[in-house]
Amino acid sequence: MTFDACWLGGQRLPEVTIHASGALAQTIRAELRQTRRVRHDVEVALCTLGRLEETPLAAWVEQALPTDGLGDEGFVVVRRGNQLVVAAEAGRGLLYGYFYLLRYFEWMTGDFTVVERPAVPVRMLAHWDNLVPHPVMGAVERGYSGGSIFFRGGRVVQDLTRVRAYARLLASIGINAVVINNGNVHAAETRLITDHLADVSRMAAVFREYGIAIYLSVNFAAPIELSDLDTADPLDERVARWWSAAVGRVYDAVPDLGGFVVKADSENRPGPAAYGRHHADGANMLARALAPYKGTVYWRCFVYDCAQDWRDRSTDRARAAYDHFIPLDGLFDDNVVLQVKHGPLDFQVREAMSPLLGELQETRFALELQVTQEYTGQQKDLCYLGPWWREILQFDTSGGGGPTVAERTKAIVAVSNVGDDPNWTGHKLAQSNLYAYGRLAWDPAADPVSLLHEWAAATFAMDDRTRAELVSIMADSWRTYERYTAPLGVGFMVTPGTHYGPSVNGYEYSAWGTYHFADRNGVGVDRTVATGSGFTGQYPEPLASRYENVYSCPDELLLFFHHVPYDHVLQNGRTVLQHIYDTHFQGYEEVESMLTRWKAIADRFDPGTRDNITARLEGQLKNAREWRDQVNTYFYRLSGVPDASGRTIYR
């Protein structure tokens, strides 16, 4: 079995002495046996704090320790002269300290002290892998990198070599939790609980070697599907007993299971009234079954009415999560975490932040992101998401100097972009998104461009000038993608079903919602309190007023919040229509430049990498052309207003 080593292929270390015991210390010893050696005069030691006196820098390390401790995952790195010590309170911290050493050793010069602790306690990747391939979604829902690395033939794969390699990759970037299955398709996925516990236990053991807890997605219909019960009502004592027994069996097999992930409702039920208090009842029933084992329920807040009438402008999908969950704030048990998508729609290339991220006050919540590029090019188009995620994590939830999203959340969850493709992510450069997600979940203030340099230096054998050029090609690719796709916060101009490529009206008259309301006079969704759906009123002040006012609303979100005429002048000085034309031409030209610049350095990479990236960029150029021409033509035909620069728009 051969597969890409990603960013763990080329690093080297000198001899390392380990003063620690336990399972994770054994993992580090195994890691060292497969790490390439480099001759160096620095003497390196890894130790737990209980054995600090066995190292030459004990006093220096003790001086560096935070007064409130390192916690289970923190570590200290101290170098003085030719001595270097990595110290941690526990095995996880030591493992992360080892990978820190592996990442930076060749750049470690002179005396220094570093203290590292993760900003967010739970850093999770969720797999939408189907135990039984779905007839539409296949082996991995919204997966663009081949099949599942976990499941084949209706059961867990026998050979876990690749799973172990994956666990190693994740630990190296600080991921400490993985959801292994998809609860997004059908209740039969919950058969993992009853039919495959021995296999789940085998997989959990592999992830455990790298300090990673596994979680299972479950479906609320499971008691009906998998037993003789005629209900899944969480208030029915029979249902509670069924789940309690199922949870007991799971923890017998996997004593350190993190817990369950539940897709709360989503497309299945119309309107808040149909579910209401049921969210809290359902989550709490599962939470109480998990509580004796210290398990947690992650309750996904992706809810909305999927039977909308496009004629009815009073219905707004963006409002749904807030309308469902704010009335329930404070009613959830302590081991329930509400899992909130960063935006109120569905991972669009640009949308407003979910107001739940600022307004939930008495319930723990997790931020949900998407590493798999469902709406951002599907790992066919280059789209480095690090800058976007940093914007999300650093978003001021009050709008007036209050806490950021990263400061408020205790967990970050993202849908994985990994499959059984030999390079894991389909597009070789999409590995950068997996890397950046883990590093930003650990440190939300990290610079995304610096992370790109880190990733490129660890992934490719190349000189500094080549690395700088590759990073330059990739760094702004998310904004390039935004320019040639959906303008000013408009979403869902994608091909229905696949979500790849343009279809300007693809969802406009669907039951899933209406997203741009373009007519001959203007474009955009009126979500104001004064004249629209009232969505702006879900934000606190001063955010609510900022979004409500067409002149203070940020340009990039204008059409998300307002319906405006085509000649409305943006803060950047251009009209809305001219901005649409300009950005779509600019986005295509930027992809053209990316391809040209890549071809100038492509011969410096191995043939497999060169061919993979070249083919993807050539395909991206075709996609960008379709987006440019279809969107520009659509708005020209509606408005009748030509491009001020006289460029070609097909009529």
Side-chain angles (χ1 to χ4, degrees):
M1 181 181 294
T2 59
F3 39 80
D4 200 322
C6 299
W7 53 86
L8 292 178
Q11 295 91 330
R12 301 179 300 168
L13 287 175
E15 291 295 327
V16 177
T17 304
I18 301 178
H19 305 283
S21 58
L24 293 182
Q26 291 301 105
T27 296
I28 297 170
R29 290 185 173 94
E31 282 289 320
L32 286 168
R33 285 194 291 272
Q34 59 182 318
T35 301
R36 294 163 55 194
R37 289 283 174 264
V38 60
R39 290 181 157 229
H40 208 286
D41 60 355
V42 172
E43 297 180 14
V44 180
L46 273 65
C47 71
T48 49
L49 295 184
R51 296 178 61 178
L52 191 56
E53 294 303 323
E54 298 176 35
T55 73
L57 299 180
W60 292 99
V61 171
E62 287 175 347
Q63 289 178 23
L65 292 175
T67 55
D68 55 346
L70 290 170
D72 183 54
E73 298 184 317
F75 59 88
V76 174
V77 184
V78 176
R79 178 173 175 175
R80 294 294 182 272
N82 68 342
Q83 300 289 337
L84 191 153
V85 172
V86 179
E89 288 186 12
R92 269 191 185 174
L94 203 61
L95 182 67
Y96 295 139
Y98 161 76
F99 281 117
Y100 181 95
L101 181 68
L102 191 66
R103 185 184 309 130
Y104 293 125
F105 179 76
E106 293 190 23
W107 298 334
M108 290 178 174
T109 58
D111 293 354
F112 66 88
T113 300
V114 171
V115 179
E116 286 269 336
R117 293 184 292 186
V120 180
V122 178
R123 305 169 302 281
M124 184 186 297
L125 274 166
H127 280 259
W128 288 357
D129 292 25
N130 296 319
L131 178 65
V132 179
H134 188 268
V136 176
M137 295 300 181
V140 181
E141 180 177 351
R142 303 304 177 191
Y144 312 108
S145 313
S148 173
I149 64 170
F150 300 144
F151 309 124
R152 191 164 293 113
R155 62 178 304 153
V156 173
V157 294
Q158 289 299 308
D159 185 353
L160 295 176
T161 302
R162 183 152 190 172
V163 175
R164 180 172 282 102
Y166 182 53
R168 182 173 179 249
L169 285 173
L170 298 191
S172 76
I173 53 175
I175 300 298
N176 63 6
V178 169
V179 187
I180 63 171
N181 68 307
N182 183 16
N184 209 27
V185 179
H186 45 65
E189 286 297 313
T190 307
R191 286 192 182 279
L192 276 171
I193 292 178
T194 55
D195 293 352
H196 301 278
L197 284 178
D199 284 343
V200 172
S201 179
R202 286 194 304 117
M203 193 184 301
V206 170
F207 280 109
R208 190 179 299 120
E209 293 176 25
Y210 286 89
I212 299 170
I214 70 165
Y215 288 70
L216 295 173
S217 287
V218 299
N219 189 298
F220 237 87
I224 300 174
E225 295 264 341
L226 306 179
S227 75
D228 58 0
L229 291 178
D230 57 359
T231 180
D233 183 353
L235 298 181
D236 189 307
E237 290 186 5
R238 295 174 300 157
V239 174
R241 286 196 299 270
W242 187 93
W243 279 108
S244 180
V247 167
R249 292 194 298 274
V250 173
Y251 276 89
D252 284 344
V254 187
D256 57 351
L257 185 84
F260 290 162
V261 178
V262 182
K263 186 177 183 182
D265 183 6
S266 192
E267 305 94 349
N268 299 321
R269 295 174 183 264
Y275 216 60
R277 172 65 195 249
H278 224 54
H279 284 295
D281 293 334
N284 290 341
M285 183 271 291
L286 287 177
R288 289 160 195 167
L290 289 165
Y293 310 96
K294 297 182 168 41
T296 302
V297 175
Y298 281 77
W299 192 264
R300 294 187 71 224
C301 298
F302 183 38
V303 297
Y304 61 94
D305 180 354
C306 73
Q308 297 179 38
D309 185 337
W310 61 269
R311 301 164 188 84
D312 176 12
R313 293 203 181 194
S314 66
T315 303
D316 183 1
R317 173 171 168 175
R319 291 187 55 106
Y322 184 102
D323 286 342
H324 277 74
F325 287 99
I326 287 299
L328 305 178
D329 192 17
L331 299 182
F332 293 93
D333 286 8
D334 289 344
N335 61 328
V336 174
V337 176
L338 296 182
Q339 189 168 311
V340 182
K341 287 188 178 183
H342 68 84
L345 292 180
D346 190 16
F347 301 126
Q348 299 304 293
V349 68
R350 175 81 73 171
E351 58 181 290
M353 295 291 291
S354 170
L356 282 179
L357 298 172
E359 292 300 276
L360 285 169
Q361 300 299 321
E362 300 179 50
T363 307
R364 289 197 298 161
F365 68 87
L367 170 69
E368 182 174 314
L369 304 171
Q370 197 180 55
V371 186
T372 195
Q373 295 171 228
E374 179 179 354
Y375 295 99
T376 54
Q378 301 190 357
Q379 282 127 256
K380 300 174 185 176
D381 293 15
L382 172 61
C383 187
Y384 174 57
L385 298 170
W388 187 21
W389 292 332
R390 191 178 187 280
E391 281 188 19
I392 292 166
L393 290 162
Q394 297 301 316
F395 180 78
D396 177 353
T397 57
S398 74
T404 65
V405 171
E407 290 167 340
R408 294 204 72 225
T409 190
K410 300 302 181 186
I412 299 178
V413 183
V415 186
S416 176
N417 65 346
V418 162
D420 65 2
D421 187 284
N423 71 15
W424 299 92
T425 56
H427 195 316
K428 172 71 176 179
L429 299 184
Q431 292 176 4
S432 63
N433 284 328
L434 182 61
Y435 185 88
Y437 168 70
R439 300 283 288 111
L440 283 164
W442 180 280
D443 178 11
D447 173 47
V449 177
S450 296
L451 295 180
L452 259 186
H453 277 285
E454 276 184 21
W455 167 79
T459 302
F460 302 110
M462 58 186 170
D463 59 82
D464 291 347
R465 291 181 62 185
T466 301
R467 184 180 76 247
E469 178 66 357
L470 179 64
V471 167
S472 178
I473 290 168
M474 298 176 65
D476 204 38
S477 54
W478 163 55
R479 293 184 180 88
T480 292
Y481 190 89
E482 181 184 18
R483 289 179 189 114
Y484 69 75
T485 54
L488 301 171
V490 163
F492 284 95
M493 287 183 170
V494 292
T495 303
T498 67
H499 296 171
Y500 183 78
S503 180
V504 180
N505 276 338
Y507 279 106
E508 196 61 13
Y509 303 100
S510 75
W512 305 95
T514 304
Y515 303 102
H516 63 68
F517 289 112
D519 56 31
R520 66 180 181 175
N521 299 311
V523 60
V525 183
D526 185 353
R527 291 190 163 104
T528 65
V529 171
T531 57
S533 72
F535 174 66
T536 57
Q538 293 185 344
Y539 292 91
E541 291 292 354
L543 280 175
S545 293
R546 187 177 306 159
Y547 294 146
E548 176 82 6
N549 188 313
V550 70
Y551 297 107
S552 61
C553 183
D555 280 353
E556 64 271 17
L557 293 174
L558 181 69
L559 302 185
F560 188 91
F561 285 110
H562 297 274
H563 186 89
V564 298
Y566 292 118
D567 61 359
H568 175 84
V569 178
L570 299 168
Q571 294 172 31
N572 65 21
R574 289 181 287 186
T575 67
V576 165
L577 187 61
Q578 193 57 47
H579 175 90
I580 291 172
Y581 293 156
D582 288 349
T583 52
H584 283 78
F585 281 113
Q586 180 185 353
Y588 176 81
E589 290 161 3
E590 287 175 354
V591 176
E592 209 171 26
S593 174
M594 286 159 54
L595 177 58
T596 299
R597 293 168 66 192
W598 163 253
K599 286 183 174 179
I601 62 172
D603 285 343
R604 304 173 200 174
F605 295 79
D606 68 86
T609 295
R610 180 181 66 235
D611 294 346
N612 173 266
I613 296 172
T614 301
R616 300 285 168 139
L617 288 175
E618 288 174 344
Q620 183 170 0
L621 187 63
K622 294 176 183 177
N623 190 39
R625 181 172 182 259
E626 286 303 312
W627 273 101
R628 179 200 66 186
D629 292 343
Q630 290 192 34
V631 172
N632 283 349
T633 293
Y634 177 83
F635 283 105
Y636 174 74
R637 287 176 176 175
L638 272 183
S639 69
V641 178
D643 171 35
S645 299
R647 293 164 292 197
T648 299
I649 295 179
Y650 297 90
R651 303 180 184 185

